[in-house]
Amino acid sequence: MLFGDLVDPVRGIFGALKRDLQHQGIELRLAQSEHGQANICRAISWCGSGPYALAPHDDVAQVLCAGSDFELSAVAENIVGALNFYPSMAKEGGDLRMWSHKPTAGDRKAQGVETTGYPYSTTYLETVPYQDLQLRAGDIALIDGGFIHGVTSKSGGEKPRLVLNSFFGFARPDLVLWWT
Ligand SMILES: O=C(O)CCC(=O)C(=O)O
Ligand SMILES: [Fe+2]
């Protein structure tokens, strides 16, 4: 319904990357666990109050803490890539704010966000430089999810901000896992 007759961009990218990696002898597939197979993406409209629709966080802590039942936890040793596609975007606000800081396990522990990577406090980020990515409908943002990032609140217009979000990364040199 979201894309009508158009190609689903997430499956499009997944398929293209899978073919390209295959030529290099690397397998790309959805992550599995004893509970089943991961989904390819999730569609979310963040609705936090205050300055952030989604508070500053990193995407690695949750992968590190996925547990031994989940093969995707191996990816936390490498870069956890986040692929975000925006089918709909607010007229103002809803920027993807990226801080130039990649927390270590020690940083997370000190901040009390060891198992979640969420949320980092304003005080912690006070002196860290950041950049706001202003997004438009149709944009794709590909980021290193190890860096702290968040979403500024939507400040104008009727249109909802909708993100299709997936994660991926190397579990082994010959295996890339994808999940949400
Ligand atoms: O909505 C966005 O732009 C970012 C989403 C995100 O950081 C996440 O789902 O972890
Ligand atoms: Fe994130």
Side-chain angles (χ1 to χ4, degrees):
M1 279 169 70
L2 198 58
F3 301 121
D5 292 336
L6 302 174
V7 171
D8 171 342
V10 182
R11 284 192 167 73
I13 290 172
F14 182 86
L17 191 56
K18 188 181 169 78
R19 283 192 297 278
D20 197 65
L21 288 170
Q22 227 159 27
H23 291 141
Q24 302 173 53
I26 300 166
E27 184 188 4
L28 168 69
R29 62 167 171 77
L30 290 167
Q32 283 161 7
S33 77
E34 60 183 39
H35 309 286
Q37 183 173 272
N39 282 315
I40 193 165
C41 77
R42 54 184 184 160
I44 316 162
S45 188
W46 303 110
C47 58
S49 56
Y52 296 106
L54 172 65
H57 66 280
D58 72 68
D59 300 328
V60 175
Q62 58 186 308
V63 182
L64 267 173
C65 297
S68 52
D69 296 351
F70 293 85
E71 59 174 358
L72 64 87
S73 44
V75 178
E77 303 304 319
N78 303 307
I79 289 174
V80 175
L83 183 87
N84 295 326
F85 177 79
Y86 303 90
S88 173
M89 183 47 68
K91 209 167 179 176
E92 280 166 54
D95 296 345
L96 180 56
R97 180 165 292 178
M98 300 282 315
W99 281 268
S100 61
H101 175 52
K102 207 171 187 176
T104 61
D107 293 334
R108 280 189 211 102
K109 200 164 183 180
Q111 291 308 304
V113 296
E114 202 177 4
T115 56
T116 56
Y118 169 98
Y120 288 94
S121 68
T122 310
T123 319
Y124 181 66
L125 293 170
E126 212 160 44
T127 57
V128 183
Y130 64 81
Q131 196 179 349
D132 283 345
L133 303 180
Q134 283 177 358
L135 302 156
R136 287 167 307 177
D139 279 350
I140 294 173
L142 178 62
I143 65 167
D144 178 338
F147 285 91
I148 298 179
H149 57 282
V151 177
T152 66
S153 59
K154 172 179 175 296
S155 55
E158 295 296 304
K159 282 209 167 143
R161 181 194 195 275
L162 185 68
V163 62
L164 304 184
N165 161 262
S166 330
F167 298 110
F168 65 103
F170 278 92
R172 293 195 314 253
D174 62 347
L175 177 65
V176 174
L177 295 176
W178 180 294
W179 74 93
T180 192

